[in-house]
Amino acid sequence: MNVMKHVFLAMVVCFSGMFMGACDSEEESSMIVDWYPVSICISVYDAQGNDLLDSTDVKHYVASGATATFQGKTYALNGGINSVKKNSLKMLPAFFEGFKLTNVYGKNFLVFGEIDGAADMQENLIITWKDGSKDVITYHCSDHNANKPDCKRWFKVNGRLTDNPIVIIK
């Protein structure tokens, strides 16, 4: 049994050496980087913790009639265009679905996107609620570095830095 362990380890070392030796610097420098598409996910609560996106709670529901404006275009909730850029060479092209209300693992979210994660931009996503109030989500993405791969990506809600998924308290 002990001999079998040594034979197995020797085989592992040999094969790993073969695979490591197969890579040369030219192959490493030709790495293809594909930036993942970005969806902005938003949950909305009141100060008491009520889920304002729960359509079964008519008293608190705020999503009806909400719109999202991004890059000069306004999208109705659950309206959008299912589109992918044709002739895209990306492995993960952005599949734009507009502005949707969805439920994931029992939690309600507004979802906007997908946005091309390879594009440098700083844009505002303006959510207009049925009562006329607005929340401004700033999406920033820049300084893509294909050598790491890394980029600078951040979100703000009404001027305050936040994470994605975004939480709005109304």
Side-chain angles (χ1 to χ4, degrees):
M1 181 97 161
N2 206 9
V3 172
M4 289 302 286
K5 283 185 185 177
H6 289 289
V7 170
F8 178 74
L9 286 174
M11 288 174 42
V12 168
V13 170
C14 287
F15 282 119
S16 64
M18 284 176 28
F19 291 120
M20 288 171 62
C23 297
D24 61 13
S25 61
E26 185 177 315
E27 288 180 25
E28 288 176 18
S29 66
S30 64
M31 175 176 71
I32 298 172
V33 175
D34 192 9
W35 305 95
Y36 63 89
V38 176
S39 291
I40 299 175
C41 301
I42 307 152
S43 56
V44 185
Y45 298 95
D46 64 13
Q48 290 74 40
N50 294 305
D51 179 359
L52 302 183
L53 300 178
D54 180 1
S55 62
T56 63
D57 184 357
V58 180
K59 180 180 176 187
H60 296 104
Y61 186 64
V62 298
S64 178
T67 61
T69 304
F70 187 76
Q71 294 183 325
K73 295 181 184 174
T74 299
Y75 302 87
L77 184 62
N78 289 332
I81 311 161
N82 294 330
S83 65
V84 175
K85 283 185 182 177
K86 292 182 180 175
N87 302 324
S88 176
L89 298 176
K90 293 177 60 83
M91 182 69 109
L92 297 170
F95 185 73
F96 186 75
E97 294 188 73
F99 188 43
K100 304 279 184 186
L101 177 62
T102 189
N103 185 291
V104 179
Y105 301 116
K107 293 196 176 234
N108 297 302
F109 292 96
L110 295 171
V111 179
F112 184 84
E114 297 177 328
I115 300 167
D116 184 356
D120 282 352
M121 69 173 69
Q122 181 164 322
E123 294 286 339
N124 287 332
L125 171 66
I126 302 168
I127 309 294
T128 304
W129 305 101
K130 66 181 176 181
D131 67 359
S133 64
K134 297 181 181 190
D135 286 293
V136 178
I137 298 168
T138 304
Y139 167 70
H140 173 91
C141 188
S142 67
D143 301 326
H144 290 83
N145 183 343
N147 294 325
K148 287 190 182 179
D150 192 22
C151 68
K152 290 182 182 171
R153 182 173 288 141
W154 50 260
F155 302 86
K156 287 184 178 180
V157 175
N158 301 322
R160 293 187 148 177
L161 201 58
T162 189
D163 293 321
N164 190 18
I166 292 164
V167 177
I168 294 176
I169 306 295
K170 295 203 79 46

